[in-house]
Amino acid sequence: MLKLLKIEWMKIKNYNAFIILSSFFALGVITVNYIVFIVNKNMISQTQAANLMGKFSPYNFDKTWQTTSYAAGWLLLLPALLLIILLTNEFTYRTHRQNIIDGWSREQFIHIKIVLAVLTAVFSTVLVFITALTFGLSSGSSFSTEGISHIGYFFLKALSYNMIALLIGVLIRRTGFAIGVFFIYMGFENFISQLLDVWSIRLRSRQNIDLGSMGDYLPMNSADGMLTFPDNPLKGLAKGVMPTDYYWVVLGLTVAYLILFYWWSVNRVVKTDL
Amino acid sequence: MSILSMENIRKDYGSVQALKGVSFNVPKGTVFGILGPNGSGKTTMLGIIMDILKPSSGTYKLFDEVPNETHRRQIGTFLETPNFYHYLSAERNLKIAAAIKERGEGDIPRVLELVNLTQRKDSRFSTYSLGMKQRLAIASCLLGNPEVLILDEPTNGLDPVGIAEIRALIKKLHLEGKTIIMASHLLDEVEKVCTHVAILKKGELVATGDVNEILATEDIVEIGASNISALKAAVQQLGGFSHFNEQGNLLQLFYPVGKAPLETINQHCFNKGIVLNKLNLKKKSLESKFMELTN
């Protein structure tokens, strides 16, 4: 496995798009959180409402894990795009064929890309962990691991995005087209997800049927659904009409979708003409 | 030992049958040409052997074993187009190929020198000309000095000097005892370089065997006389030719190369009271042989 990974590294270490997109992502995670941190510190916490809510800061410990994961979640598009480009490049240059001709099996070819997707998710998560820790410590509150599970959700979300990106890359093969499909799919799923959310709220308030927030049951939104901006005390008032969070269902679906994407990508590469 | 044996390989693309049940063997130490016009299924066949394409039915073996990726690592293969990472230099591309082949990087300077690319080894692949890309692909095949090479139209896009160099290289490798499988649509190339040949036509195997037998050419003697039926009768008594053809008011007699006895034919006809008004020795061209085999 390490041998294959070394070869994968030889392919990407001198590739400009890799260097640019990774730096954008790293800088982005830090910058986005810094902006939220500054805005909160200098503006929101000075207002009357903030005083009413008590000393609420999204970067205090136990909240920092959630805030950072949520804010960085928006940037996960970048590593997903990078993975699409790295994979579809192989199809464009036909190097996927050459790798196999030279002596990789089809399984090795797709599995090393999946390992790359997992590693990208791991690196993103480590970066978010360090960022959350740094902002948490600079907010002046005392360290706590409460709510650190959000870092885990972030990892699942990163992995889900990466696996969807790989699947689309394997199915579409052309770089530009695959990126287009990725965005269109994302927009489409968000649209359906919001319709389902509205429907869930109606079912709950009118017929008292609670199926949870059904918008969170779709592939990209299931990973998304677990990452929300920290609740402030006012939000509790809305609980009467909102559907219950079926946390375990959403978590289960996220994992199920990951398995599906894995199986579909591998199957496609192993079974069809390349 | 067979390097490659194919058993009834079929490949369908929807209603199009690219290969219609092809079987043959490539013995060790041969230069085996796969000859056929464009679209006859040569690349499809090599793609199946390299696990790039899945056959619709049929089986094949490499080195007498059920094929897997370790067999492919022992074969230097160049299929259809030079496939490299455009943004990497020639040398970096070869490092990747060597790592996949598990060959080590020590052989890279040698193969670059063999194809005259040492000076350009640090240039990106995307800056290469077609001929240079082709030569880099051949260099990649030669990495680690494999016992078997599979080359798909290796001289495509090369200038005459490049073509001569590649052909000389193939002959040299053959003398070293290597097995080379080469696809080509150039009959003349196959005849010059190969020891064995398989001829494909629209996905079917037309002929396979020793190149001298399959591509044996003939001399044709064309004769004519005012009374063509009398001439025919006279010629039938003569014998010595493999077969003859009547073409308008001419007869074509087919002889093995260099064996046509023009004087004897003339004398024989004259003795029978027939005066020839035409006596012509024609060499059969390779092109017409190719047309005959593939049409």
Side-chain angles (χ1 to χ4, degrees):
Chain A
M1 181 57 77
L2 213 60
K3 223 169 9 180
L4 302 188
L5 206 57
K6 220 176 122 195
I7 294 171
E8 220 42 40
W9 178 240
M10 289 163 84
K11 294 181 190 173
I12 58 179
K13 68 176 175 189
N14 294 302
Y15 185 45
N16 288 339
F18 165 71
I19 298 161
I20 293 170
L21 282 173
S22 333
S23 340
F24 271 21
F25 177 71
L27 281 175
V29 167
I30 297 163
T31 314
V32 163
N33 280 293
Y34 186 68
I35 291 170
V36 178
F37 182 75
I38 292 295
V39 166
N40 188 72
K41 191 175 172 191
N42 296 341
M43 294 160 76
I44 300 176
S45 50
Q46 320 269 319
T47 60
Q48 284 267 298
N51 285 334
L52 281 176
M53 293 191 302
K55 283 269 176 217
F56 174 78
S57 163
Y59 286 99
N60 281 345
F61 274 106
D62 65 346
K63 293 284 183 242
T64 182
W65 307 116
Q66 188 176 0
T67 310
T68 316
S69 301
Y70 172 77
W74 293 95
L75 291 160
L76 281 174
L77 278 180
L78 292 173
L81 283 186
L82 178 65
L83 281 166
I84 291 187
I85 294 170
L86 290 178
L87 178 63
T88 52
N89 268 350
E90 303 264 11
F91 297 125
T92 310
Y93 302 142
R94 290 171 169 242
T95 40
H96 68 304
R97 287 176 153 214
Q98 199 61 44
N99 287 173
I100 286 159
I101 287 171
D102 285 342
W104 270 1
S105 65
R106 290 166 174 243
E107 286 84 356
Q108 284 174 322
F109 177 81
I110 184 65
H111 276 105
I112 198 64
K113 294 286 184 227
I114 291 168
V115 168
L116 205 61
V118 175
L119 281 182
T120 309
V122 169
F123 284 132
S124 313
T125 309
V126 169
L127 180 69
V128 164
F129 175 81
I130 294 169
T131 312
L133 192 66
T134 313
F135 283 106
L137 291 175
S138 21
S139 75
S141 60
S142 56
F143 179 78
S144 154
T145 52
E146 212 189 314
I148 205 166
S149 56
H150 282 91
I151 299 288
Y153 303 152
F154 178 85
F155 173 73
L156 282 178
K157 177 170 169 171
L159 193 57
S160 296
Y161 273 49
N162 291 351
M163 290 302 288
I164 291 175
L166 275 194
L167 177 63
I168 289 177
V170 163
L171 294 178
I172 309 278
R173 287 164 160 248
R174 294 227 202 105
T175 311
F177 196 29
I179 291 175
V181 167
F182 183 77
F183 278 113
I184 290 168
Y185 175 75
M186 198 167 68
F188 176 75
E189 197 193 293
N190 273 326
F191 174 70
I192 300 290
S193 165
Q194 293 192 352
L195 288 184
L196 287 173
D197 276 344
V198 170
W199 191 40
S200 307
I201 292 172
R202 273 201 202 144
L203 278 179
R204 165 92 157 107
S205 58
R206 294 195 188 154
Q207 279 139 32
N208 217 16
I209 300 170
D210 190 349
L211 297 173
S213 301
M214 288 184 288
D216 289 346
Y217 297 167
L218 301 174
M220 270 187 165
N221 283 277
S222 62
D224 253 348
M226 290 180 293
L227 285 179
T228 50
F229 201 72
D231 286 344
N232 59 50
L234 295 175
K235 232 183 166 180
L237 299 173
K239 285 247 165 88
V241 287
M242 299 293 273
T244 320
D245 278 337
Y246 282 109
Y247 170 81
W248 289 107
V249 174
V250 177
L251 188 64
L253 277 172
T254 306
V255 174
Y257 285 129
L258 281 174
I259 293 169
L260 172 74
F261 299 148
Y262 168 81
W263 177 84
W264 195 351
S265 309
V266 171
N267 204 49
R268 174 80 181 191
V269 171
V270 170
K271 295 266 169 74
T272 58
D273 287 349
L274 295 174
Chain B
M1 182 177 82
S2 280
I3 295 299
L4 163 71
S5 55
M6 302 189 72
E7 195 66 49
N8 210 13
I9 294 277
R10 296 180 60 89
K11 176 69 182 171
D12 304 326
Y13 291 106
S15 61
V16 179
Q17 297 176 307
L19 290 174
K20 302 169 186 166
V22 175
S23 312
F24 63 82
N25 276 307
V26 175
K28 191 174 189 297
T30 56
V31 181
F32 198 99
I34 297 165
L35 180 66
N38 295 328
S40 56
K42 302 186 293 288
T43 301
T44 304
M45 200 172 74
L46 296 180
I48 289 171
I49 298 167
M50 285 293 120
D51 196 28
I52 294 303
L53 304 174
K54 295 281 182 191
S56 304
S57 67
T59 55
Y60 66 98
K61 285 182 172 176
L62 291 171
F63 307 100
D64 288 332
E65 290 170 26
V66 176
N68 62 35
E69 65 273 15
T70 56
H71 296 117
R72 293 200 294 279
R73 273 181 226 140
Q74 299 165 42
I75 303 176
T77 305
F78 166 38
L79 196 65
E80 208 170 12
T81 48
N83 305 324
F84 293 101
Y85 297 92
H86 287 209
Y87 51 88
L88 294 179
S89 69
E91 194 177 28
R92 289 210 161 105
N93 268 301
L94 289 184
K95 281 182 179 173
I96 291 174
I100 294 177
K101 290 167 192 257
E102 301 183 350
R103 295 278 187 177
E105 294 177 359
D107 203 27
I108 292 176
R110 179 186 75 92
V111 297
L112 280 171
E113 192 56 44
L114 263 176
V115 297
N116 298 326
L117 283 176
T118 308
Q119 302 215 311
R120 292 291 303 275
K121 71 185 166 68
D122 296 321
S123 308
R124 282 162 165 239
F125 178 73
S126 56
T127 65
Y128 273 26
S129 72
L130 181 62
M132 291 164 76
K133 287 176 178 173
Q134 193 87 359
R135 281 186 277 146
L136 183 61
I138 289 164
S140 183
C141 287
L142 297 171
L143 273 175
N145 204 16
E147 282 306 303
V148 181
L149 289 157
I150 294 183
L151 306 170
D152 186 7
E153 313 263 359
T155 56
N156 225 358
L158 295 181
D159 57 27
V161 177
I163 292 176
E165 282 173 2
I166 295 303
R167 288 181 184 167
L169 179 68
I170 292 174
K171 283 182 178 164
K172 183 173 151 267
L173 292 169
H174 172 55
L175 288 177
E176 290 170 13
K178 314 243 185 268
T179 308
I180 298 147
I181 301 171
M182 184 178 95
S184 177
H185 62 268
L186 305 171
L187 181 69
D188 145 76
E189 178 165 279
V190 169
E191 203 213 9
K192 278 185 182 145
V193 178
C194 298
T195 59
H196 290 68
V197 66
I199 298 176
L200 275 183
K201 173 191 157 190
K202 290 181 185 152
E204 269 172 304
L205 192 67
V206 183
T208 178
D210 195 291
V211 89
N212 293 321
E213 287 167 23
I214 305 282
L215 300 183
T217 47
E218 293 169 306
D219 284 348
I220 306 164
V221 178
E222 286 184 339
I223 50 176
S226 47
N227 186 346
I228 193 82
S229 52
L231 177 63
K232 215 161 115 182
V235 158
Q236 271 162 344
Q237 291 169 4
L238 174 67
F241 46 84
S242 59
H243 61 287
F244 77 94
N245 253 345
E246 197 175 336
Q247 219 171 46
N249 56 352
L250 285 178
L251 287 184
Q252 290 185 322
L253 311 182
F254 292 83
Y255 289 91
V257 176
K259 295 276 161 48
L262 295 183
E263 281 177 19
T264 314
I265 297 168
N266 199 2
Q267 185 72 55
H268 174 78
C269 293
F270 197 74
N271 290 347
K272 294 282 170 190
I274 301 159
V275 180
L276 298 178
N277 58 16
K278 180 169 176 118
L279 175 62
N280 182 27
L281 177 66
K282 270 173 61 175
K283 296 274 179 191
K284 190 168 185 181
S285 72
L286 283 168
E287 280 74 18
S288 62
K289 181 75 187 179
F290 187 57
M291 299 299 263
E292 181 190 302
L293 285 167
T294 57
N295 279 315

